[in-house]
C-alpha cells in the first residue's frame, strides 16, 4: 500500500509471462491479446486501488495516529514551495485521482466519506481506462485484424473454462 509508488514494471513483466505460460503461447504474443483472452487487467490497476484505499483509510483515520500525522507533514513538505522535498508517494496518489477524473476527492479530503464507495468508484474508472486502452490497441493496429473477428470485449473466454486443457490451448494459439 505504500510501495506502489515505485516502478513495478518487472513485476508486470513477470505477471504477463505467467499468463502466457498458462496459455502456452509464445512470449512474443501481443500483451493486449493475452489480457483480452484472460479478461485480466495490468497489475498497475490493482496497485492503484491499494494505494488509494490506503489513502482513504489514512484520511478517515484518527488525527492522533502517527501515520496520519506523518502523512500531513509529508504533504505539507511536498507542496511547500520553499522546500526541495518531493514525495513519490504523494505524487503517485494525487496522479491516481487526477488521471481518473476524481481530483476533487484528493483536493477536498472530505471527512467521513465512505472508503468503500471511493474504492468502487476508482475501480470503475480504472476498469474503463484499461478497457479503452485495450480497445485502442486492438483497433488501431493491423496486426489485430484477424483477432478482432473473434474478440469484441475484454473478458475471460468461456472456451478456456469449458474445453479440455489441450483444446483450449490450441484454440487460443489459433486466435
Amino acid at each position: 500500500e505504500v510501495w506502489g509508488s515505485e516502478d513495478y514494471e518487472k513485476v508486470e513483466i513477470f505477471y504477463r509471462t505467467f499468463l502466457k505460460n498458462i496459455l502456452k503461447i509464445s512470449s512474443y504474443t501481443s500483451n493486449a491479446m493475452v489480457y483480452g483472452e484472460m479478461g485480466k487487467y495490468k497489475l498497475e490497476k490493482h496497485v492503484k486501488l491499494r494505494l488509494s484505499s490506503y489513502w482513504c483509510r489514512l484520511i478517515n483515520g484518527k488525527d492522533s495516529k502517527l501515520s496520519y500525522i506523518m502523512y500531513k507533514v509529508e504533504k505539507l513538505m511536498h507542496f511547500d514551495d520553499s522546500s526541495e522535498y518531493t514525495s513519490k508517494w504523494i505524487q503517485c496518489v494525487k496522479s491516481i485521482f487526477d488521471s481518473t477524473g476524481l481530483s476533487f476527492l484528493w483536493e477536498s479530503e472530505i471527512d467521513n466519506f465512505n472508503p468503500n464507495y471511493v474504492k468502487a468508484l476508482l475501480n470503475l474508472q480504472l476498469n474503463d481506462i484499461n478497457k479503452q486502452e485495450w480497445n485502442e490497441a486492438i483497433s488501431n493496429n493491423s496486426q489485430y485484424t484477424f483477432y478482432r473477428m473473434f474478440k469484441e470485449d475484454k473478458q475471460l473466454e468461456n472456451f478456456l473454462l469449458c474445453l479440455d486443457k489441450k483444446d483450449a490451448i490450441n484454440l487460443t494459439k489459433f486466435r
Side-chain angles (χ1 to χ4, degrees):
E1 294 169 341
V2 203
W3 60 267
S5 59
E6 300 297 322
D7 182 28
Y8 40 85
E9 184 58 29
K10 289 181 182 176
V11 176
E12 196 76 55
I13 291 169
F14 177 79
Y15 178 60
R16 283 192 305 261
T17 304
F18 173 73
L19 293 175
K20 289 177 182 183
N21 283 337
I22 288 173
L23 295 173
K24 300 205 183 306
I25 55 178
S26 167
S27 61
Y28 298 107
T29 303
S30 160
N31 295 332
M33 288 180 183
V34 174
Y35 289 129
E37 290 297 294
M38 298 291 285
K40 296 290 183 186
Y41 296 96
K42 293 180 181 178
L43 290 179
E44 173 186 32
K45 175 206 164 209
H46 303 288
V47 171
K48 287 181 176 182
L49 275 176
R50 295 291 301 253
L51 277 168
S52 56
S53 293
Y54 177 72
W55 178 82
C56 288
R57 288 193 312 276
L58 196 61
I59 295 304
N60 282 315
K62 294 180 181 179
D63 295 354
S64 60
K65 284 182 71 175
L66 183 58
S67 56
Y68 180 83
I69 294 167
M70 291 304 298
Y71 162 71
K72 286 297 190 181
V73 168
E74 187 173 19
K75 188 175 177 188
L76 281 172
M77 289 174 59
H78 178 79
F79 288 110
D80 182 5
D81 293 334
S82 63
S83 171
E84 294 181 21
Y85 177 76
T86 350
S87 167
K88 287 183 180 180
W89 190 83
I90 297 283
Q91 285 176 324
C92 186
V93 175
K94 183 180 183 315
S95 74
I96 292 168
F97 288 101
D98 289 344
S99 67
T100 55
L102 301 172
S103 301
F104 68 93
L105 290 172
W106 169 263
E107 292 165 3
S108 64
E109 288 188 4
I110 302 167
D111 287 336
N112 298 321
F113 62 82
N114 184 341
N116 291 328
Y117 172 76
V118 173
K119 185 177 180 179
L121 188 59
L122 269 168
N123 191 36
L124 282 173
Q125 292 293 93
L126 292 170
N127 283 349
D128 285 346
I129 290 168
N130 197 278
K131 285 178 183 177
Q132 288 171 12
E133 289 171 353
W134 180 81
N135 279 324
E136 183 178 340
I138 298 297
S139 300
N140 295 337
N141 191 330
S142 60
Q143 176 186 0
Y144 301 109
T145 304
F146 185 71
Y147 183 67
R148 283 192 302 262
M149 291 180 195
F150 298 98
K151 191 73 173 173
E152 293 179 4
D153 296 321
K154 183 180 183 179
Q155 63 185 16
L156 178 63
E157 288 298 327
N158 286 332
F159 72 83
L160 290 171
L161 303 173
C162 298
L163 295 176
D164 69 358
K165 186 177 177 180
K166 184 179 177 184
D167 292 337
I169 289 169
N170 286 334
L171 188 54
T172 301
K173 288 179 179 179
F174 172 73
R175 291 167 56 113

